Amino acid sequence: MDKISQIKLEMIDICKSAYENKLFAGTSGNLSVYCKDEGYMLITPTSVRYGTMRAEDIVSVKLNGTVVEGKHQPSTEWPMHAVIYEVRKDVGAVFHTHSPYATAFAVTRQKIPFVLVEMAPFLGGEVTCAKFAKPGSRELGLSAIEELINGRTACLLANHGVLAVGIDLPQAHIRAEYVEDAATIYHRALQAGEPVILK
């Protein structure tokens, strides 16, 4: 099996895991992998349910939006993914979720402070909220990039969801999982008392 086919299968496995673990809902959320040697990204299609998605549904698209291969249209968020790959040469995968607890902080435009020790190695500390930009726009990606600084590997997207990056898809995936974990625990801690912020 060639490299691209293997990546597509990995994407489907992670999509199904993300759906089962409530990082995705319905057809919301998307992920991509940048294949530098080939000059395009592999991205999930628009409006295809994760429960039925197959490897052949993954779309190959250049960073300018030209579809190289695929029977579907790419995710409407492809410009956000593309601009991140253009600006951040160290990023090999982008993971965008609508996970409920983290998205609750996104819609209130609050950050998730550094409250768990695991947030340091996986997320670079606190998870800040990027300023609002229209879904499906390059501006949304640029807004996220402004928050992915000082070692931070994920951010909230105002009124939208979560964006996590990594050198590959497994790394971006686990970072997205840790954002939701941190958001869940922080939310519950707020009900229990006054959370202690780490430095």
Side-chain angles (χ1 to χ4, degrees):
M1 183 182 298
D2 63 50
K3 180 184 76 171
I4 299 301
S5 297
Q6 289 178 331
I7 295 172
K8 287 181 178 181
L9 288 174
E10 179 181 50
M11 291 173 72
I12 294 300
D13 286 344
I14 288 179
C15 278
K16 292 184 184 300
S17 173
Y19 181 72
E20 290 168 3
N21 289 298
K22 311 298 185 189
L23 297 182
F24 294 157
T27 62
S28 68
N30 40 76
L31 55 86
S32 69
V33 175
Y34 186 39
C35 304
K36 291 183 181 179
D37 292 342
E38 289 74 17
Y40 57 73
M41 61 180 167
L42 300 172
I43 192 167
T44 47
T46 189
S47 303
V48 176
R49 293 186 67 88
Y50 290 102
T52 61
M53 193 179 294
R54 300 167 61 88
E56 54 264 33
D57 295 319
I58 299 296
V59 184
S60 305
V61 58
K62 293 183 179 180
L63 299 187
N64 66 3
T66 301
V67 173
V68 176
E69 182 182 28
K71 59 184 179 179
H72 301 287
Q73 290 298 307
S75 166
T76 56
E77 300 284 9
W78 73 261
M80 174 182 72
H81 292 248
V83 75
I84 290 172
Y85 294 131
E86 288 170 8
V87 175
R88 288 286 301 269
K89 305 301 183 184
D90 58 315
V91 171
V94 175
F95 209 102
H96 168 47
T97 78
H98 289 197
S99 54
Y101 278 91
T103 302
F105 285 102
V107 300
T108 56
R109 302 191 184 185
Q110 298 180 66
K111 68 181 180 181
I112 305 167
F114 182 23
V115 291
L116 292 175
V117 292
E118 293 84 0
M119 292 175 73
F122 287 98
L123 304 175
E126 67 181 3
V127 181
T128 57
C129 186
K131 66 178 182 290
F132 182 80
K134 184 179 177 181
S137 67
R138 285 177 57 85
E139 288 74 22
L140 184 57
L142 292 169
S143 178
I145 287 168
E146 290 180 6
E147 304 305 319
L148 300 175
I149 57 173
N150 301 324
R152 293 199 297 263
T153 60
C155 69
L156 304 178
L157 303 174
N159 297 88
H160 193 154
V162 176
L163 185 137
V165 298
I167 58 171
D168 56 22
L169 195 53
Q171 187 179 67
H173 179 206
I174 199 167
R175 288 170 172 172
E177 288 181 311
Y178 269 105
V179 173
E180 181 63 6
D181 182 58
T184 303
I185 291 171
Y186 180 55
H187 177 269
R188 291 176 177 173
L190 288 169
Q191 318 311 307
E194 183 69 30
V196 176
I197 310 302
L198 299 172
K199 299 188 184 299

